[in-house]
Amino acid sequence: MPDATTGVAGPPLLEVDDVTMQFGGVTALDHISFEVRRGEILGLIGPNGAGKTTCFNVMTGVFQPTSGEVRLNGQKLVSRSRHQITRLGIARTFQNIRLFPEMTALENVQVGGDARHRTSVPGALLRLPRHRREERDGRTQAFELLDFMGIPHAANSLARNLPYGDQRRLEIARALATGPELLCLDEPAAGFNPAEKEELLALIRRIRDRGQTVLLIEHDMRLVMGVTDRIVVLEFGRKIADAAPAAVRADPKVVAAYLGVPEDAA
Amino acid sequence: ACSNNGNGTTTASGKCDSKIAFFGALTGPNANLGINIYNGAKLAVDQYNAKNSNCKVTLVQKDSQGDEKQAPALAQNLVQDPKVVGVVGPAFSGESEAADGILEQGNLPLITASATNPTLAQKGWKVFHRMLGNDASQGPAAASYIKDTVKAKKVFVIDDTTAYGKGLADQVKKSLGGMVGGTDTVQPKQTDFQATVAKVKASKADAIFYGGYYAEAGPFVKQLRAANVNAKFVSDDGVKDPGFVAGAGKASAEGSVVTCPCIPGDEAKGTFFADYKKKFGKEPGTYGPEAFDSANVFLDGIKAGKTSRAAMLSFVNSYDKDGVTKHIKFDKNGEIAKSEIVIWSYQIKGGEIVKDTEIKATS
Amino acid sequence: MLLELQDLVVSYGRIEALHGISLGIEQGEIVALIGANGAGKTTTMRAISGLRAAHRGKIFLEGRDITRMRADRRVVQGISQAPEGRGIFPGMTVMENLDLGCYTRRDAAMIAEDRERVFTLFPRLAERRKQLGGTMSGGEQQMLTIGRALMARPKILLLDEPSMGLAPMLIQQIFAIIKEINGQGTTVLLVEQNAQQALSLAHRAYVLETGSIVRSGTGEELLADPAVQEAYLGVA
Amino acid sequence: MSTGGDAPRRSAGGRFVDGLRTVDERRVAGLAGIRSRWRALPLVVRIAALAAVAVFFYLLPNLAIPLIPTPDTNFASVLFTVAVYVLVAVGLNVVIGLAGLLDLGYIGFFAVGAYSVAIFGSPASPLATKYPWLMLIPIAIAVSMVSGVILGGPTLRLRGDYLAIVTLGFGEIVRLIAVNWSITNGQIGIPNVPAPPGKFPDGSPLFGVIDTRPFYWLALTVVLICMFGVKLLENSRVGRSWLAIREDEDAAELMGVPSFKFKLWAFAIGAGLGGLSGALFASRQGFINSNSFDVLTSVLFVAAVVLGGAGNLAGVTLGAVLISYLPERFRGAAEYRFLFFGLALIAIMIFRPQGLIPSRRRAVELADRKREAEEEVTAGA
Amino acid sequence: MNFEFLFANIGDLTVTGLSQGAIYALIALGYTLVYGLLKLINFAHSEVFMMGTFGALFAWQLVGLHENNPIPSVPMMIVYLLVGLVGAAVWSGVTALAVEFVAYRPLRRRNAPRLVFLITAIGASLAISEAVGIATGRQQFGMPDLFKTTTLVTIGDAHITNLDLGVIVAAIVMMVVLDQFINRTRLGRGIRAVAQDSDTAALMGINKNRVIVLTFVLGGVMAGAAALLYNLKIGVTRADIGFLLGIKAFTAAVLGGIGNLRGALLGGLALGLVENYGSALFGTSWRDVVAFAVLVIILMFRPTGLLGESLGKARA
Ligand SMILES: Nc1ncnc2c1ncn2[C@@H]1O[C@H](COP(=O)(O)OP(=O)(O)OP(=O)(O)O)[C@@H](O)[C@H]1O
Ligand SMILES: Nc1ncnc2c1ncn2[C@@H]1O[C@H](COP(=O)(O)OP(=O)(O)OP(=O)(O)O)[C@@H](O)[C@H]1O
Ligand SMILES: CC(C)C[C@H](N)C(=O)O
Ligand SMILES: [Mg+2]
Ligand SMILES: [Mg+2]
C-alpha cells in the first residue's frame, strides 16, 4: 500500500486505527487505518457505498465501531459521547443537510459556538459576568463566521428558508463555530455548479489557512484534486490508496474502481 | 357580582332574600342519589314559598358531581355569598371532608341529609349537623343482617376507597370480626372488575359486603354473576338506587340486599309521600324525606327571622321539633339522638328495590 | 407537444420562486434545464409532477390541461419524477421501494422484466434487495431513486439532479442510461448542475435564472454560448 | 484552536448588525407589525408598558369591567386559579415549547408539589412538621425537582412519543400512589393544608376563604417572577440549546450540545415550576385528594401550552387563561361547558394552528406554510 | 406481596389477563395504524371505541334485544353477535371518519405542526365523550346477555371460558388479517408509503387522502370489534369509559412498539397479563401502577418498545 509521501507533514492530529464497522451482513468499513496530519487538507474518496460517510460517523461518535480505535491528539474517541468529541475538536457537516431549520442562521452558528462555553442554567439565571461575556463573544463570533462564509445577509433568516447553497455554507459556519481542530466536510459541493465549486475551493483553502485541518469527502474530482494535499481512497470498506493527488489519479486501482475513464468531464 | 364583600358572616341587608343551598351531585355517575336529596329540599322550599309568597326563599344548587375535587371551590362560593344562610348537604361523605372545613370558616350552618361517615361529626366543626344515623350504626346493622339473616359463614368485604365506602366497610369488618374471608378495593369510575371478581371467586365466600355507590356496584355484580359467583350481595345506602339494577341487569341484581339509615318514603309522617309523588311524578328516592326535613329546619329559621348565619346556627343548634322522618334535635356534635336512628334493609326483587325490615341499631 | 408550461408562477409563501415560465417538450426529446442554486429548477419539476400548486399559469400534458390535477393522478397519466435528494422510503426495503415505483401498473410480467433491467443497471441494488432504503449510502439512494422512477415506465421522466452524490464512474453510466431509455421512446426532462454533460446529451435546453427562463436553444447552441459557458460551465 | 477575532473582521461584523436590523424589520413587519413596533420601542418605554400591564393585573379583581368577571364563581378565586394555570403553562412551556419534550404527565409534578405542602404541613397528616408555610414552599419545589430528575434520568433517552407515554404513565403512577399510600389518604384526602401566614388587623386570616384577593396577588407575583426567570433562560445559551435539541437532537449533539444535561435541566425546571404551582393550589384549596391530579387535567395543561402558542410566554399565558377561565366563565352552562370547550379547542387550532400568539420564529414559518398549503388546496390536492 | 394467591391462581389469571389484553390489543391496533401513518397520537380513538359500545347497544335495541331479555338460542345468538358487530363497527368507523374530517384534515391542509393535531384530538375526544354524556344523561347502560359464560376447558387450574376464548381468538385473527393486508397487499404498501413520505408517495401515484381515510376506517372497525367484545365481557357502558381504556390501549401500542401491528397485539396481551399478575401480587388497587411501571422499565431497555417501529420510519 503506497504510503503518504507529500510535503505538508505535521504530527498526526487524528488516527483511525484498524476500524471495522459492520451492519448485519454488510461490512461498511473493513480494518481501515489512516491518519490526518495537522494542517493538511485530506481527501476521502471512493465509489458510492465505499464507507466514507460511515467513517465520519465512527469518528464523530454516531456509530460505535465493531472494532478498532480512533484517536484525536492521542486521546481515544471511541465510546465517548458525541458532544464530548465535538468539544475535543472535531466538527462536521452532513451529506444531507441537517441544520436547525426553525432557528435563524445566526442562532445556528451560536449553537455551534456554545460548544466552547461553560455557563449553564445558574449562570444564565443570575446573568453572571462570565455568562454575559460568553454571550457577547459568541454573538460576535457568529457574525464573523457568517461573514467569512459569505452569507452575512442570511443572519436573521430561518435556516429552512435559505437556498440550498447557503444552507451548505451555513452548515460549515456552524461547524467552524465549535472551534474545531479538524473539520470534516461530507460532500460540501453536492448540488453546486462549477462556479460555486470554485468558490468553495477557495473557501476550504482559507479555512486551512486559519490553521484548521480539513478532511473532505467529495465526488467532484476537479475540486478534490485542486484542493487536497493527500487523498485516501476507499473501496468496499477497504483502503485501496493513500497518496498525493497526482499519484492517486494515476493509480490504476483507483481508476478502475472509481474514476473510470481517466479524463473525466467534471 | 364582582364586588368583594370582605366579610361574609355579616347579615344580609334585605329581609326577604335569604337563600339556602343544596350541595351534592346533580350530574355525574352517582347523580341519582343527589337528585333525590335535591328534590326533597326543593319540595320543602316550594311548599314554604307557596305559603309565604311575600317573602320567598331561593334554593341555590351546587352540583358537585359527587367529586371531592370540585367541592372546595363550590364551598368557597357558597361562603362568599352572604345571602346563603344554610346548606342542605354536602350529600356525600367524601365531598363533606373537602367542603365542610370551608363552610366552617364561613360560619355557614349545614345539615346533611345523607353523608354518613362517622368522623365528620368529630372534627370540631360547629356548623355540622346530620339528619340521620351514621355508619357507626349502619355498619354493625349490616353485619348483623349478614350474620343473622343471610347466615353467611365467610364474608368478602369490598370498598371503593372513598371516605364513605371505606369508612363503612371498616365498620362492617370490625363487626364481622373473624368472618371476614378476604378484602379488596375498587376505584370510583371503574368498570372492569375482573381482578376483584377473581379474588372473590378464589375466596369461596358465601356473602359479599360492598361499601360504595351504585355506579360501580352495578357492573361489579354483573361481572360477578357472569363469573358464576353466587355469593349473597349485601351493600349500603349508596347502592340503594334503581341505577344499581340498571347497571347490574335485573337478573344479576336479583336478591341483593342493601341497608340504609333512611326511612322508606311511605313511612314518612304527614303528607310528604303524597306531596312528593304529586310534584315529581314518582315515589321519593333514598334520603328524599331526610332532605325535606333538613331544608325545613332552615326554612323554620328564616321564618323566625334568622337571616344571619350566626343566628341561623344557634337556631339550628337549639331546634327541637318533629319532622317527617323523626324528632329533630341535634346534640353538640350535630348528630341526632340515638333513639331516633333507624336502619332499614331493602331487597332487590324483580328489578325493584323493596323495603325489607327495620334492623335494630345495635351500637 | 407532449408537455407544455404556459406562464407558470409558483411561490413559497410570500416568495415567488417562478415568475411565469413557459416551455415545451416534444415527444421523444431530452430537454435539459440548467441554472444556478435557487434558480427554481426543482420548483419547476415539483410543479409539473403536482407536488406544488401553480399560482398562475397552465400545464398541459398531451394537450390536456393538468394544472389542477392531483399529483397521484398525474402519475397515472404518465409523469414520473425522480426527486432531488433523498426521495426514498427509508423504512422500506430496496425491493419494496422499487415495487412502489410501479404502484399504478398492473402488468405483472412486464414489471418483473423492468425490475431485472434496473438490477442490471445498478447491480448494487440487486445485492441489497433486503436492505432498508434509509440505511443505504447517499449514492446508493440516488441509484434507488432513479431505478424506481424507471419502474413506472412513464411517458415523460423528470430527473432532478440525477448525478448528485454519485461517483464519477457512475455519472458516466447515468448519462448513458438516460440516452438509452430515451432511445427506447421515453421523453426526459433533466435538471443538472453538471451542465456540460447535460447540454451535450440534451436535444434542447432552457436556462433558468432566479425564476425566469433567460435562454433556450439546442444543446450545442447553449454549449457554445459564451454567457452560458461563463456562468455554468466554469469556463473562465 | 483559532476562530479568528481580529480587528478588521469584528468591524465587519459590527456593520452587519446595522445592516441586519433593516432586513429583520422588513421581514417581521410584513407579518407581525405590532411585534416589530414593540421591539423598536426604547427599553424604558417597554419596561413602563410592562409595568402598566402588571399593575392592571394586580387591580383586576377590584375593577368592575363588564363581561369579564365570572357570574357564578367569585372572580378573585377564578383569577387565582387562572394564575396557577399560567404558572403551570410557564413551566410546561419550558419542557414542551422550548426543549420540545412532549410531557403528558406534568400533573405528576403538580401533585408532588401539592402533596409536599399537604403532607408536611397539614396537622391531619402523620408526617406533619412544624415548618412554617414559607419553608414548605421551597421544600415542595425541591421535592418536585428531584422527582423530575428521577423521572428524567432514565427516560430522557426516549424519543418523542415514547417519552410522552412514559410521562403520562408517570403522572398516573403519582396519582395512583396518592390513591393507595396511607400517608396521602387516597380519595379521602388531606384536609387543613396550611395557607400562607398573615392576618388582617381584625385578626381574620389574610389568606382566608372569603376574600381570595390576597391569594391571587400572591400567585400573580410568583408568576411574574417565574416568567422573568424563564425569559432570562430563554435568551441565553440554555434556551438556544433547548431549541437546537428540539429541532434535531442528533445534530445538536454533534455540534457539542450536551443534550441529556439540558433536557434534564428542562425537566427539572419544569418540574420545579409545576411543583410550585401545585403547592400554591393546595394552599388555597385547603384540601387535596387524589382526584385533583387526573390525566385529563394533565392533558389540558398541554392544551394550554399548544393552544396559546408553544414556545412563546405571552402565548402560553393566554392559553392557560383560556383553559382555566372559560369553563369557569360558563359554569352556568355546566352541562355543556366541556362539550363547548372541546369544540373550541378544535376550532381555535384549525383557525390558528400556530397557536393564538405564536412564537416569533414559528409565526413566520407558519404563515408561509399556511399559504403554501392553501395553494395546494386550490390545486385540488 | 401475595405470591401465594398469584401461584394458586396463575392459570385463571393468565386466561383473564389474555382476554383483557386482547381488547387492549384491538384498540391499540387503531392507535398504531393512525400513528404509523400520520405520526399522530389519535387521542380521540378512545371515543371511537366508546361509540362502538353504544353502536352495538343501539343495533341490538333496534332488533328488539334488550338488557333484560332472556338468553337467546344459539342461532339467534350468532345473529345478534353479527348485528352487534355491524352496529359497533359502523358507529366506530363513522366516528373515526368524522374525527378525521373535522379535526385532522383541516389541519393537514394548513400544514400544522404535529403537536397541534394532538390538541384537536384532545378537543375531539372531549367533545365526543361530553356529547354522548349529555345525550345519555351520563348514565350507565347494561348490555343484554347473549350467552351464559361457561368453562369450556380446564387446563391445570386455568378455566377457559367460551367468552375468554372468543375474545382472544377474535383479537388474534383480526391482527393477522390486518397484518397481512398491510404487508402483503398493494393497498397496504400504499399505506406504508404514505406513512414514510407522503410527497414521494404521491409521486408513486398513491392517493394520500384515500389512504388516510382507509386507515381511519380500518382503525375504527377494529375499535368497533373491540367494543363488541367489551360489551360482552364487561356488560355495561358509559360515556366516559373510553378515556382510561384508551390510555391503556395506547400504552399497549407503545409497549409493543408503536406503528407496529404485531407489536400492538403483543403489547396488548403483555399489558393484560402484567396487570393481572400485578394485581394478584400487589393488590388490585396497584394494578395500573404495575402496568405503567413495567412500561417504563421495558422502554428503558428497549426504547422503541418490544418489537420496535415498523409501519413508520426506521432510523433514516
Ligand atoms: N445501518 C446500515 N445498515 C446496513 N447497511 C448500511 C448501514 N449504514 C450504511 N450501510 C452500508 O454501508 C455502506 C457504506 O455506506 P456509506 O454511507 O459510508 O457510503 P459512502 O462511502 O458515504 O457512499 P456515498 O458516496 O454514496 O455517500 C453502504 O453500502 C451502505 O449501504
Ligand atoms: N420550502 C421552501 N420554502 C421557501 N422557499 C423555498 C422553498 N423551497 C425553495 N424555496 C426557494 O425557492 C427558490 C427556488 O428553489 P429551487 O429549489 O426550485 O431551486 P433549484 O434551482 O432547484 O436550486 P438547487 O440547484 O439548489 O436545487 C429558492 O430561492 C429557494 O430558496
Ligand atoms: C347519598 C348517600 C349514598 C351518601 C353516602 N351515605 C355518603 O356518606 O357518602
Ligand atoms: Mg456518503
Ligand atoms: Mg433543486
Side-chain angles (χ1 to χ4, degrees), chain C residues 41-43 84 160-161 191:
Chain C
K41 306 179 294 295
T42 299
T43 307
E84 180 183 43
D160 197 347
E161 306 209 20
V191 162

Side-chain angles (χ1 to χ4, degrees), chain D residues 149-240:
Chain D
V149 172
I150 289 174
L151 170 66
T155 57
L156 278 176
R157 240 155 37 87
L158 298 178
R159 283 192 293 138
D161 297 310
Y162 288 91
L163 182 67
I165 191 74
V166 164
T167 52
L168 189 142
F170 167 79
E172 270 295 88
I173 288 177
V174 170
R175 185 183 69 81
L176 289 164
I177 287 176
V179 167
N180 285 301
W181 192 27
S182 59
I183 305 288
T184 48
N185 214 8
Q187 297 282 333
I188 301 172
I190 306 179
N192 301 330
V193 182
K199 285 204 188 316
F200 280 114
D202 71 350
S204 62
L206 186 54
F207 293 92
V209 292
I210 293 168
D211 184 357
T212 17
R213 284 173 303 171
F215 263 115
Y216 165 61
W217 289 323
L218 172 72
L220 180 60
T221 310
V222 171
V223 165
L224 292 177
I225 293 171
C226 292
M227 278 185 165
F228 183 68
V230 168
K231 201 79 210 169
L232 286 180
L233 288 180
E234 201 185 324
N235 292 327
S236 76
R237 159 171 195 221
V238 181
R240 242 181 348 256

